[in-house]
Amino acid sequence: MIVDNRLPFRKIVVSSLISVGLSFCLCILSGLYFGYGKVTQTHCGSHEILPSVSAAIDFNGFHRILWQVPVLLHAVEHLTMTVLLYQHYQSSTVRVSLHTIRAHSPWSGTLNKATATADVVSVLSLLTLSFVTSTLHYKIHRNAVVLYMLDTTLHIILATYQLYVHRSWSGALQKDQLQQQKVAKSMRVKLICVAVNIACITIGTFVYKHHTAYCKAYTYSVFALCEYVIVASILAFHYSLLWDIPNFQVTMMHSDSIT
């Protein structure tokens, strides 16, 4: 007998995001509780009240495992989402091209590939900064953090523009009113996430440079707070991607012999 267990992909994504969010919060809070002095320590000894993400996840071995396991599982789910979105937009481009002729429609394929590539790079940089910690190899970790921040910002901008282009081309062909509402809501959330992400990166960069130059109290804590908001905006953006595609299901099948 073949047993077919269908699991909505939405539940996998939500579970993945919740696990990463909880792991992130636990690393921050437990680091502050059990090692306040260590996680808030800076190179110049300025008084701080919040740890950076890197300091929190690298507090001890337990924290590293607590962060790395959910991130690894999230990476698998994230890459699966990337493939699904790529296939969805590729097939949608073909359907739209059969009904409309737009001068700029050929660029949709290039945009789709660029968005998917940026997403893959962001996942790889996230894995690198998570498993190559600052104490293990500072330069690699630092470069991975910078790459992750910049590439993730590029990806969310491209993904938002991709949804806008797709919505403009296929809106007239879309029969599902509920899906139209989901896409509209997705666009609003994405625009907010993009604005928050860019603002926090700008403020965080300014504050970080100010901290390294003048080493005033609490400036690094502001930088850490910007990191927290960036992480939250990225998780929210990733969740909004679920509204862009139809409901997918992961099918797990196994055979069970009956005698």
Side-chain angles (χ1 to χ4, degrees):
M1 180 179 67
I2 302 297
V3 179
D4 186 355
N5 298 316
R6 296 181 183 273
L7 180 63
F9 186 63
R10 179 181 301 275
K11 291 185 177 180
I12 297 177
V13 175
V14 172
S15 299
S16 171
L17 294 177
I18 290 175
S19 65
V20 172
L22 286 176
S23 173
F24 174 76
C25 292
L26 287 174
C27 285
I28 298 295
L29 295 176
S30 60
L32 287 172
Y33 185 79
F34 293 106
Y36 178 84
K38 181 179 179 180
V39 297
T40 59
Q41 183 180 8
T42 63
H43 72 286
C44 59
S46 62
H47 182 68
E48 306 295 338
I49 57 175
L50 293 176
S52 66
V53 175
S54 297
I57 65 177
D58 198 25
F59 173 53
N60 56 32
F62 173 74
H63 274 206
R64 287 190 286 271
I65 295 175
L66 180 64
W67 173 253
Q68 290 169 353
V69 172
V71 165
L72 184 60
L73 297 176
H74 171 68
V76 176
E77 169 267 308
H78 196 137
L79 291 175
T80 303
M81 172 75 84
T82 303
V83 173
L84 291 177
L85 284 168
Y86 178 81
Q87 293 176 343
H88 170 67
Y89 282 116
Q90 284 293 97
S91 61
S92 297
T93 299
V94 172
R95 290 198 302 270
V96 173
S97 298
L98 294 175
H99 294 81
T100 61
I101 300 177
R102 299 296 178 97
H104 54 292
S105 60
W107 291 104
S108 62
T110 303
L111 176 61
N112 193 20
K113 292 176 182 178
T115 304
T117 301
D119 203 15
V120 171
V121 173
S122 71
V123 173
L124 295 179
S125 58
L126 174 62
L127 289 173
T128 302
L129 70 89
S130 298
F131 285 87
V132 182
T133 60
S134 57
T135 55
L136 184 63
H137 201 297
Y138 175 74
K139 287 186 177 180
I140 293 179
H141 177 82
R142 180 194 61 190
N143 292 336
V145 171
V146 173
L147 176 61
Y148 177 72
M149 293 296 182
L150 295 178
D151 185 75
T152 300
T153 302
L154 174 63
H155 168 254
I156 66 177
I157 292 174
L158 289 175
T160 302
Y161 181 67
Q162 183 181 39
L163 178 62
Y164 170 77
V165 172
H166 174 73
R167 181 185 178 190
S168 300
W169 292 349
S170 62
L173 303 177
Q174 180 61 259
K175 304 297 184 181
D176 190 345
Q177 294 294 327
L178 179 59
Q179 184 62 26
Q180 286 185 353
Q181 294 175 2
K182 287 182 178 180
V183 171
K185 179 169 63 174
S186 176
M187 178 61 72
R188 290 194 297 270
V189 172
K190 283 179 172 60
L191 289 174
I192 293 173
C193 290
V194 169
V196 169
N197 193 274
I198 293 176
C200 286
I201 286 181
T202 303
I203 296 172
T205 301
F206 172 79
V207 171
Y208 182 80
K209 289 184 177 181
H210 190 274
H211 166 74
T212 56
Y214 302 103
C215 200
K216 291 185 178 180
Y218 307 116
T219 53
Y220 199 73
S221 296
V222 176
F223 168 77
L225 183 60
C226 288
E227 283 190 317
Y228 303 166
V229 178
I230 289 172
V231 170
S233 69
I234 291 173
L235 293 179
F237 187 93
H238 187 68
Y239 177 79
S240 74
L241 295 173
L242 287 172
W243 296 324
D244 304 344
I245 55 179
N247 292 325
F248 287 99
Q249 291 182 330
V250 176
T251 302
M252 299 171 288
M253 303 182 68
H254 67 273
S255 60
D256 186 13
S257 301
I258 298 180
T259 57

